Amino acid sequence: MSKRSKGANRGDSPPRKTAPKKAAAKQAAVKKAAVKQAAATKTAAKKTAAKKAAPKKAAPARAAKTVKAAKASAPASAPASAPASASAPASASAPTARPAAKPESRLAMVRRARRINRELAEVFPYAHPELDFRNPFELLVATVLSAQTTDLRVNQTTPALFAQYPTPEDLAAAVPEEVEELIRPTGFFRAKTKSIMGLAAALRDDFDGEVPGRLEDLVKLPGVGRKTAFVVLGNAFGVPGITVDTHFMRLARRWRWTASDDPVKIEAEVAEIFPKSDWTMLSHRVIFHGRRICHARKPACGACPITALCPAYGEGETDPEKAAKLLKYEKGGYPGQRLNPPADYPGRPAPPAPGVAPGAVQRPSGAE
Protein backbone atom coordinates (compact mmCIF):
# COMPACT_ATOMS: atom_id res chain seq x y z
CA MET A 1 0.00 0.00 0.00
CA SER A 2 1.22 3.38 -0.75
CA LYS A 3 1.86 6.07 1.92
CA ARG A 4 -0.95 8.18 0.61
CA SER A 5 -3.38 5.27 1.00
CA LYS A 6 -2.20 4.72 4.61
CA GLY A 7 -2.83 8.23 5.51
CA ALA A 8 -6.29 8.17 4.09
CA ASN A 9 -7.19 5.03 5.94
CA ARG A 10 -6.14 6.58 9.34
CA GLY A 11 -8.60 9.50 8.82
CA ASP A 12 -5.88 12.12 8.61
CA SER A 13 -6.78 15.41 6.93
CA PRO A 14 -4.80 16.52 4.01
CA PRO A 15 -1.66 18.61 4.82
CA ARG A 16 -2.14 22.49 5.40
CA LYS A 17 -0.21 25.39 4.02
CA THR A 18 1.06 27.08 7.35
CA ALA A 19 4.01 29.12 6.09
CA PRO A 20 2.04 32.28 5.02
CA LYS A 21 0.21 32.52 8.39
CA LYS A 22 3.41 32.30 10.38
CA ALA A 23 4.97 35.04 8.30
CA ALA A 24 1.97 37.34 8.82
CA ALA A 25 1.99 36.73 12.57
CA LYS A 26 5.67 37.40 12.73
CA GLN A 27 5.23 40.62 10.74
CA ALA A 28 2.41 41.79 13.05
CA ALA A 29 4.56 41.12 16.09
CA VAL A 30 7.41 43.07 14.62
CA LYS A 31 5.08 45.95 13.81
CA LYS A 32 3.64 45.92 17.34
CA ALA A 33 7.10 45.91 18.82
CA ALA A 34 8.07 48.83 16.60
CA VAL A 35 5.03 50.82 17.76
CA LYS A 36 5.83 49.99 21.37
CA GLN A 37 9.44 50.99 20.87
CA ALA A 38 8.38 54.27 19.25
CA ALA A 39 6.06 55.03 22.17
CA ALA A 40 8.83 54.27 24.64
CA THR A 41 11.23 56.45 22.70
CA LYS A 42 8.73 59.32 22.67
CA THR A 43 8.15 58.98 26.42
CA ALA A 44 11.87 58.94 27.05
CA ALA A 45 12.28 62.02 24.90
CA LYS A 46 9.64 63.89 26.92
CA LYS A 47 11.34 62.95 30.19
CA THR A 48 14.68 64.08 28.84
CA ALA A 49 13.19 67.39 27.70
CA ALA A 50 11.59 67.87 31.12
CA LYS A 51 14.90 67.19 32.85
CA LYS A 52 16.67 69.69 30.61
CA ALA A 53 14.01 72.35 31.28
CA ALA A 54 13.99 71.86 35.05
CA PRO A 55 17.42 73.37 35.73
CA LYS A 56 16.50 76.51 33.78
CA LYS A 57 13.46 77.11 35.97
CA ALA A 58 15.42 76.55 39.13
CA ALA A 59 18.33 78.70 38.00
CA PRO A 60 17.05 81.95 39.58
CA ALA A 61 16.60 80.19 42.92
CA ARG A 62 20.14 78.83 42.78
CA ALA A 63 21.40 82.25 41.70
CA ALA A 64 19.60 83.87 44.63
CA LYS A 65 21.18 81.36 47.01
CA THR A 66 24.57 82.10 45.49
CA VAL A 67 24.09 85.89 45.90
CA LYS A 68 22.86 85.39 49.46
CA ALA A 69 25.89 83.27 50.29
CA ALA A 70 28.17 85.87 48.71
CA LYS A 71 26.57 88.64 50.79
CA ALA A 72 26.99 86.59 53.96
CA SER A 73 30.66 86.03 53.26
CA ALA A 74 31.36 89.60 52.08
CA PRO A 75 33.12 92.13 54.44
CA ALA A 76 30.84 94.30 56.58
CA SER A 77 31.97 97.43 54.77
CA ALA A 78 30.89 96.14 51.36
CA PRO A 79 27.47 97.37 50.17
CA ALA A 80 24.77 94.68 50.40
CA SER A 81 23.24 95.59 47.06
CA ALA A 82 26.41 95.81 44.98
CA PRO A 83 25.74 95.17 41.30
CA ALA A 84 27.28 92.24 39.44
CA SER A 85 29.68 94.61 37.71
CA ALA A 86 31.01 96.01 40.96
CA SER A 87 34.37 94.47 40.29
CA ALA A 88 34.83 96.77 37.28
CA PRO A 89 36.77 100.02 37.79
CA ALA A 90 34.60 102.81 39.30
CA SER A 91 35.70 105.27 36.64
CA ALA A 92 34.21 103.09 33.95
CA SER A 93 30.64 103.22 35.33
CA ALA A 94 30.28 106.42 37.41
CA PRO A 95 31.95 109.85 37.69
CA THR A 96 34.43 110.36 40.49
CA ALA A 97 32.74 111.75 43.63
CA ARG A 98 33.80 115.14 44.95
CA PRO A 99 35.91 114.90 48.09
CA ALA A 100 34.08 115.81 51.30
CA ALA A 101 34.73 119.29 52.67
CA LYS A 102 37.13 119.43 55.56
CA PRO A 103 35.29 120.03 58.86
CA GLU A 104 35.68 123.57 60.15
CA SER A 105 37.61 123.87 63.37
CA ARG A 106 36.32 125.84 66.33
CA LEU A 107 39.01 128.47 65.85
CA ALA A 108 38.17 128.86 62.15
CA MET A 109 34.46 129.25 62.95
CA VAL A 110 35.16 131.95 65.56
CA ARG A 111 37.37 133.87 63.14
CA ARG A 112 34.75 133.62 60.41
CA ALA A 113 31.99 134.74 62.79
CA ARG A 114 33.91 137.79 63.92
CA ARG A 115 34.70 138.69 60.34
CA ILE A 116 30.99 138.49 59.54
CA ASN A 117 30.34 140.95 62.38
CA ARG A 118 32.95 143.35 60.98
CA GLU A 119 31.52 143.09 57.47
CA LEU A 120 27.99 143.73 58.72
CA ALA A 121 29.24 146.78 60.65
CA GLU A 122 30.31 148.27 57.33
CA VAL A 123 27.05 147.31 55.59
CA PHE A 124 24.79 148.54 58.41
CA PRO A 125 26.65 151.33 60.25
CA TYR A 126 23.24 152.78 61.16
CA ALA A 127 21.85 149.55 62.74
CA HIS A 128 19.53 150.42 65.63
CA PRO A 129 16.47 149.14 67.52
CA GLU A 130 13.51 149.49 65.18
CA LEU A 131 10.99 150.47 67.82
CA ASP A 132 10.11 154.12 68.46
CA PHE A 133 10.63 155.11 72.11
CA ARG A 134 11.66 158.06 74.27
CA ASN A 135 12.43 156.35 77.59
CA PRO A 136 12.92 152.88 79.11
CA PHE A 137 9.22 152.53 79.95
CA GLU A 138 8.12 153.13 76.35
CA LEU A 139 10.77 150.74 75.03
CA LEU A 140 9.69 148.06 77.52
CA VAL A 141 6.00 148.32 76.59
CA ALA A 142 6.75 148.53 72.85
CA THR A 143 8.95 145.41 73.04
CA VAL A 144 6.21 143.42 74.80
CA LEU A 145 3.72 144.54 72.15
CA SER A 146 6.09 143.51 69.32
CA ALA A 147 5.54 139.79 69.96
CA GLN A 148 3.89 138.05 66.97
CA THR A 149 3.71 141.27 64.92
CA THR A 150 5.98 143.75 63.11
CA ASP A 151 7.83 146.66 64.65
CA LEU A 152 6.10 148.88 62.11
CA ARG A 153 2.67 147.91 63.42
CA VAL A 154 3.82 148.59 66.98
CA ASN A 155 5.27 151.96 66.00
CA GLN A 156 1.97 152.88 64.39
CA THR A 157 0.09 151.87 67.55
CA THR A 158 2.13 153.19 70.48
CA PRO A 159 1.83 156.95 69.79
CA ALA A 160 -1.85 156.97 70.76
CA LEU A 161 -1.22 154.58 73.68
CA PHE A 162 1.56 156.68 75.22
CA ALA A 163 -0.30 159.90 74.56
CA GLN A 164 -3.09 158.62 76.85
CA TYR A 165 -0.93 156.65 79.33
CA PRO A 166 2.55 158.24 79.48
CA THR A 167 3.67 156.70 82.83
CA PRO A 168 3.47 153.30 84.54
CA GLU A 169 1.05 154.77 87.07
CA ASP A 170 -1.30 155.93 84.31
CA LEU A 171 -1.25 152.60 82.51
CA ALA A 172 -1.69 150.59 85.71
CA ALA A 173 -4.87 152.54 86.51
CA ALA A 174 -6.35 152.32 82.99
CA VAL A 175 -9.57 150.58 82.01
CA PRO A 176 -8.55 147.29 80.36
CA GLU A 177 -11.18 147.56 77.60
CA GLU A 178 -9.85 150.96 76.58
CA VAL A 179 -6.28 149.68 76.43
CA GLU A 180 -7.43 146.70 74.37
CA GLU A 181 -8.95 148.98 71.75
CA LEU A 182 -5.77 151.04 71.50
CA ILE A 183 -3.45 148.05 71.01
CA ARG A 184 -5.86 145.86 69.01
CA PRO A 185 -3.83 146.29 65.74
CA THR A 186 -0.86 144.46 67.30
CA GLY A 187 -2.82 141.21 67.71
CA PHE A 188 -3.37 139.11 70.84
CA PHE A 189 -4.55 142.37 72.36
CA ARG A 190 -6.26 140.86 75.42
CA ALA A 191 -3.17 138.94 76.55
CA LYS A 192 -0.93 141.91 75.75
CA THR A 193 -3.21 144.26 77.68
CA LYS A 194 -2.90 142.01 80.71
CA SER A 195 0.89 141.95 80.36
CA ILE A 196 1.53 145.67 79.92
CA MET A 197 -0.94 146.65 82.64
CA GLY A 198 0.60 144.03 84.93
CA LEU A 199 4.15 145.23 84.35
CA ALA A 200 3.01 148.84 84.82
CA ALA A 201 1.49 147.91 88.18
CA ALA A 202 4.69 146.05 89.18
CA LEU A 203 6.81 149.07 88.25
CA ARG A 204 4.51 151.31 90.28
CA ASP A 205 4.38 149.05 93.32
CA ASP A 206 7.88 147.49 93.40
CA PHE A 207 10.20 149.91 91.63
CA ASP A 208 8.77 153.36 92.37
CA GLY A 209 7.51 153.72 88.81
CA GLU A 210 10.97 153.22 87.29
CA VAL A 211 12.15 150.47 84.94
CA PRO A 212 14.90 148.48 86.69
CA GLY A 213 18.29 148.17 85.01
CA ARG A 214 19.03 144.59 86.05
CA LEU A 215 18.21 141.39 84.17
CA GLU A 216 17.02 139.53 87.26
CA ASP A 217 14.50 142.29 88.01
CA LEU A 218 13.23 142.71 84.47
CA VAL A 219 12.44 139.03 83.90
CA LYS A 220 10.15 139.08 86.96
CA LEU A 221 7.80 141.53 85.26
CA PRO A 222 4.67 140.14 83.53
CA GLY A 223 5.29 139.38 79.83
CA VAL A 224 9.03 140.06 80.05
CA GLY A 225 11.51 137.34 79.06
CA ARG A 226 15.23 137.36 78.42
CA LYS A 227 14.87 138.68 74.88
CA THR A 228 12.76 141.66 75.97
CA ALA A 229 15.02 142.28 78.93
CA PHE A 230 18.16 142.42 76.76
CA VAL A 231 16.46 144.80 74.32
CA VAL A 232 15.74 147.18 77.20
CA LEU A 233 19.11 146.74 78.90
CA GLY A 234 21.13 147.17 75.72
CA ASN A 235 19.23 150.10 74.24
CA ALA A 236 17.94 152.01 77.27
CA PHE A 237 20.71 151.35 79.83
CA GLY A 238 23.77 150.54 77.73
CA VAL A 239 24.17 147.09 79.29
CA PRO A 240 25.45 144.60 76.67
CA GLY A 241 23.11 141.77 75.77
CA ILE A 242 22.33 139.38 72.91
CA THR A 243 18.79 139.59 71.55
CA VAL A 244 17.85 136.18 70.18
CA ASP A 245 14.73 136.79 68.10
CA THR A 246 13.58 134.70 65.12
CA HIS A 247 15.99 136.50 62.73
CA PHE A 248 19.00 136.10 65.00
CA MET A 249 18.18 132.46 65.63
CA ARG A 250 17.85 131.70 61.91
CA LEU A 251 21.11 133.37 60.89
CA ALA A 252 23.13 131.97 63.78
CA ARG A 253 22.18 128.50 62.58
CA ARG A 254 22.79 129.29 58.89
CA TRP A 255 26.22 130.64 59.71
CA ARG A 256 26.93 127.58 61.92
CA TRP A 257 27.55 129.58 65.04
CA THR A 258 25.26 127.09 66.74
CA ALA A 259 23.26 123.96 66.00
CA SER A 260 20.71 124.57 68.74
CA ASP A 261 17.17 125.84 68.32
CA ASP A 262 16.81 126.86 71.97
CA PRO A 263 17.12 130.66 72.42
CA VAL A 264 18.86 130.41 75.78
CA LYS A 265 21.46 127.95 74.44
CA ILE A 266 21.99 130.06 71.32
CA GLU A 267 22.53 133.13 73.48
CA ALA A 268 25.12 131.30 75.59
CA GLU A 269 26.96 129.82 72.61
CA VAL A 270 27.12 133.08 70.66
CA ALA A 271 28.26 134.92 73.80
CA GLU A 272 31.34 132.69 73.84
CA ILE A 273 32.26 133.72 70.28
CA PHE A 274 32.14 137.52 70.62
CA PRO A 275 33.46 139.92 73.24
CA LYS A 276 30.79 141.29 75.56
CA SER A 277 31.22 144.81 74.23
CA ASP A 278 29.94 143.66 70.81
CA TRP A 279 26.76 141.90 71.98
CA THR A 280 24.21 144.71 71.59
CA MET A 281 25.38 146.00 68.22
CA LEU A 282 25.95 142.44 66.96
CA SER A 283 22.26 141.77 67.68
CA HIS A 284 21.17 144.83 65.71
CA ARG A 285 23.38 143.99 62.72
CA VAL A 286 22.30 140.36 62.52
CA ILE A 287 18.62 141.30 62.84
CA PHE A 288 18.99 144.03 60.20
CA HIS A 289 20.62 141.55 57.84
CA GLY A 290 17.90 138.98 58.47
CA ARG A 291 15.11 141.45 57.80
CA ARG A 292 16.61 143.02 54.71
CA ILE A 293 18.68 140.38 52.90
CA CYS A 294 18.84 136.93 54.51
CA HIS A 295 15.12 136.20 54.64
CA ALA A 296 13.60 133.04 56.04
CA ARG A 297 11.98 131.61 52.91
CA LYS A 298 14.02 133.07 50.07
CA PRO A 299 17.34 134.67 51.00
CA ALA A 300 18.74 137.18 48.53
CA CYS A 301 22.06 135.34 48.18
CA GLY A 302 22.95 137.11 44.94
CA ALA A 303 22.79 140.50 46.69
CA CYS A 304 24.44 139.44 49.95
CA PRO A 305 27.73 141.18 50.89
CA ILE A 306 29.06 138.25 52.94
CA THR A 307 28.61 135.32 50.55
CA ALA A 308 32.27 134.33 50.88
CA LEU A 309 31.74 133.81 54.62
CA CYS A 310 28.36 132.07 54.49
CA PRO A 311 28.18 128.25 54.60
CA ALA A 312 24.52 128.44 53.50
CA TYR A 313 25.16 130.37 50.28
CA GLY A 314 22.93 129.03 47.53
CA GLU A 315 19.86 128.34 49.67
CA GLY A 316 18.26 131.42 48.15
CA GLU A 317 18.27 133.32 44.86
CA THR A 318 21.82 133.62 43.52
CA ASP A 319 21.10 135.65 40.39
CA PRO A 320 22.08 139.26 41.25
CA GLU A 321 19.21 140.90 39.37
CA LYS A 322 16.57 138.59 40.81
CA ALA A 323 18.10 138.80 44.28
CA ALA A 324 18.04 142.61 44.19
CA LYS A 325 14.25 142.47 43.87
CA LEU A 326 14.04 140.57 47.16
CA LEU A 327 15.71 143.28 49.24
CA LYS A 328 13.53 145.00 51.83
CA TYR A 329 13.33 148.36 53.60
CA GLU A 330 16.08 150.83 52.74
CA LYS A 331 18.06 148.16 50.86
CA GLY A 332 15.14 147.75 48.52
CA GLY A 333 14.32 151.46 48.39
CA TYR A 334 11.30 151.18 50.69
CA PRO A 335 10.42 152.94 53.98
CA GLY A 336 11.78 151.52 57.20
CA GLN A 337 9.82 150.41 60.24
CA ARG A 338 10.27 153.47 62.45
CA LEU A 339 8.12 156.55 62.17
CA ASN A 340 10.95 158.48 63.85
CA PRO A 341 14.23 156.79 62.82
CA PRO A 342 17.67 157.99 63.95
CA ALA A 343 19.21 160.87 62.07
CA ASP A 344 21.77 158.66 60.32
CA TYR A 345 19.18 156.25 58.94
CA PRO A 346 19.54 156.30 55.11
CA GLY A 347 15.99 155.19 54.36
CA ARG A 348 12.61 156.86 54.52
CA PRO A 349 10.53 157.02 57.72
CA ALA A 350 7.58 154.64 57.93
CA PRO A 351 4.09 156.06 57.44
CA PRO A 352 1.75 156.51 60.43
CA ALA A 353 -1.23 154.30 61.06
CA PRO A 354 -3.94 154.42 58.36
CA GLY A 355 -6.29 157.32 58.96
CA VAL A 356 -3.79 159.26 61.07
CA ALA A 357 -2.43 162.45 59.57
CA PRO A 358 1.38 162.45 59.30
CA GLY A 359 2.84 164.14 62.38
CA ALA A 360 -0.47 164.20 64.25
CA VAL A 361 0.69 161.92 67.07
CA GLN A 362 4.34 161.50 66.24
CA ARG A 363 6.90 162.75 68.70
CA PRO A 364 10.55 163.54 68.18
CA SER A 365 12.81 160.68 69.18
CA GLY A 366 14.56 161.09 72.49
CA ALA A 367 18.05 160.07 73.39
CA GLU A 368 18.60 156.37 72.74
Side-chain angles (χ1 to χ4, degrees):
M1 184 179 292
S2 64
K3 292 182 180 180
R4 185 174 181 183
S5 299
K6 289 180 180 179
N9 292 336
R10 289 196 299 267
D12 293 338
S13 57
R16 299 176 181 176
K17 296 179 180 180
T18 58
K21 290 183 178 181
K22 290 181 178 180
K26 188 176 181 180
Q27 187 176 1
V30 172
K31 186 176 183 181
K32 185 176 181 180
V35 171
K36 188 175 181 179
Q37 181 65 27
T41 303
K42 188 174 182 180
T43 303
K46 288 183 178 179
K47 290 182 179 180
T48 302
K51 288 181 180 179
K52 289 183 179 179
K56 293 183 179 179
K57 294 181 179 178
R62 289 203 301 270
K65 291 181 181 179
T66 304
V67 172
K68 187 175 181 180
K71 289 180 180 178
S73 61
S77 59
S81 59
S85 60
S87 60
S91 60
S93 58
T96 304
R98 294 178 60 183
K102 184 179 179 181
E104 185 178 39
S105 67
R106 167 74 181 180
L107 178 59
M109 184 275 291
V110 171
R111 288 176 174 173
R112 179 172 57 81
R114 293 185 177 184
R115 186 177 172 188
I116 287 176
N117 184 36
R118 294 193 297 270
E119 294 288 339
L120 293 181
E122 296 182 6
V123 177
F124 304 107
Y126 49 87
H128 59 274
E130 296 192 88
L131 290 169
D132 286 327
F133 69 98
R134 296 178 298 178
N135 53 57
F137 172 64
E138 291 188 356
L139 178 58
L140 177 61
V141 172
T143 306
V144 172
L145 294 179
S146 67
Q148 304 297 318
T149 190
T150 64
D151 287 354
L152 172 59
R153 183 58 56 89
V154 175
N155 291 336
Q156 292 174 332
T157 302
T158 51
L161 177 68
F162 294 139
Q164 191 163 342
Y165 308 109
T167 67
E169 292 81 1
D170 295 327
L171 184 57
V175 177
E177 290 76 15
E178 294 179 358
V179 177
E180 289 177 1
E181 284 303 311
L182 287 172
I183 68 170
R184 181 184 291 269
T186 66
F188 303 97
F189 56 91
R190 290 190 179 89
K192 289 180 179 179
T193 294
K194 185 177 180 180
S195 294
I196 63 175
M197 290 188 66
L199 70 85
L203 293 177
R204 179 195 61 192
D205 299 337
D206 302 332
F207 299 99
D208 297 326
E210 298 293 333
V211 176
R214 299 194 312 164
L215 176 65
E216 53 269 32
D217 293 330
L218 285 169
V219 295
K220 294 178 182 178
L221 300 174
V224 179
R226 293 180 66 86
K227 183 191 82 170
T228 298
F230 281 128
V231 170
V232 175
L233 290 173
N235 298 286
F237 293 99
V239 178
I242 297 175
T243 304
V244 183
D245 70 349
T246 56
H247 302 288
F248 193 100
M249 184 182 303
R250 179 178 72 253
L251 269 61
R253 289 173 59 86
R254 279 183 178 169
W255 294 336
R256 298 180 186 172
W257 295 355
T258 179
S260 176
D261 56 3
D262 178 78
V264 177
K265 291 182 179 179
I266 293 174
E267 175 196 324
E269 291 180 16
V270 174
E272 294 179 354
I273 299 174
F274 299 92
K276 191 173 183 179
S277 58
D278 287 351
W279 289 355
T280 299
M281 287 308 301
L282 169 72
S283 301
H284 291 324
R285 293 164 189 156
V286 173
I287 293 171
F288 257 58
H289 191 67
R291 283 175 171 170
R292 287 151 175 78
I293 298 175
C294 196
H295 312 135
R297 294 185 179 180
K298 199 170 185 180
C301 294
C304 180
I306 58 168
T307 54
L309 303 172
C310 181
Y313 173 74
E315 288 186 6
E317 180 58 64
T318 57
D319 181 82
E321 293 184 3
K322 294 180 180 179
K325 297 179 181 179
L326 301 175
L327 300 178
K328 294 183 179 180
Y329 304 111
E330 77 281 356
K331 290 297 181 182
Y334 304 108
Q337 297 200 83
R338 295 189 64 165
L339 279 66
N340 296 288
D344 62 344
Y345 180 66
R348 292 178 287 162
V356 177
V361 292
Q362 298 185 48
R363 308 171 304 278
S365 298
E368 301 174 8

